[in-house]
Amino acid sequence: MPRYVALFGSINVGGNRLKMADLRAAFEAEGFANVETVVASGNVLFDHAERPDAGLEEKLSLMMRHRFGMNSAALVRSRDALAQAIAENPFAADGQENFVHTLFLDGVLDPAAFARLEADRTGPERLAMGDRALHIDYCAGVGESKLVGAFIERRIGLKGTARNLRSMKRILAKMDES
């Protein structure tokens, strides 16, 4: 069975508190196998019969809404898709791992929307399009940036959840252990 990672948005930030043990139990109750969480911020590794990411994302979004009352973005990537997101990030080579992020998206980023986002950017961030992703180097730090999730989502018309390069490498290493 293929190995996947579910990347949930807004877990254990703001008011969305959720114990990882409860999240793992929900995955297991839904028939997912070999379930494991990585960090307490909504990264869940699991095995499942091969299925398009969109189908798994829909199933997990419904699970979150029904079991926990949360409308959380649930973005699913295979082990190879996660590795590709790391490899295609042009800022991975020269940026700081905690400042270089990938915003995983629920669709394909339109080049015109990307151009609008770049035009509206006011800080020193560097941006690049990826495969169902937006790569961002928060050169001066994320906390100083105006380029945050809600701003980006409004500009590009897609939902997403971001992970820094350090976290992505950690998730990939855990996927490779399994």
Side-chain angles (χ1 to χ4, degrees):
M1 257 193 287
R3 189 88 169 133
Y4 294 94
V5 61
L7 305 163
F8 288 97
S10 304
I11 297 291
N12 290 337
V13 294
N16 284 337
R17 297 284 174 215
L18 182 59
K19 292 179 182 173
M20 293 300 100
D22 294 340
L23 186 56
R24 283 190 302 275
F27 266 72
E28 290 165 354
E30 293 290 331
F32 294 99
N34 199 18
V35 178
E36 180 180 3
T37 54
V38 182
V39 206
S41 57
N43 307 305
V44 183
L45 309 180
F46 62 95
D47 294 342
H48 193 280
E50 194 161 341
R51 186 171 174 178
D53 294 349
L56 290 170
E57 290 169 353
E58 182 179 352
K59 182 176 182 174
L60 293 173
S61 291
L62 287 170
M63 178 192 78
M64 291 298 284
R65 203 167 23 260
H66 289 126
R67 289 185 180 269
F68 304 110
M70 293 182 181
N71 288 319
S72 177
L75 300 171
V76 174
R77 297 297 186 268
S78 68
R79 183 255 173 238
D80 291 344
L82 180 63
Q84 177 186 337
I86 293 169
E88 78 180 12
N89 190 322
F91 314 121
D94 65 349
Q96 292 182 7
E97 285 189 343
N98 56 329
F99 289 177
V100 173
H101 285 68
T102 295
L103 179 66
F104 293 92
L105 300 171
D106 66 353
V108 176
L109 180 55
D110 176 63
F114 177 74
R116 278 192 308 275
L117 179 64
E118 278 201 304
D120 290 344
R121 179 176 46 90
T122 59
E125 303 88 2
R126 300 185 295 170
L127 304 174
M129 290 179 59
D131 179 21
R132 291 183 303 143
L134 173 67
H135 303 294
I136 309 166
D137 183 2
Y138 289 100
C139 307
V142 179
E144 301 300 316
S145 180
K146 303 284 188 238
L147 196 59
V148 294
F151 177 86
I152 294 171
E153 288 177 356
R154 281 193 304 273
R155 296 300 185 280
I156 65 174
L158 296 169
K159 296 277 185 211
T161 186
R163 299 297 185 271
N164 69 33
L165 188 57
R166 181 178 298 147
S167 293
M168 290 169 44
K169 287 179 176 179
R170 198 161 148 195
I171 294 166
L172 185 62
K174 280 287 208 185
M175 291 179 92
D176 287 342
E177 290 174 5
S178 301

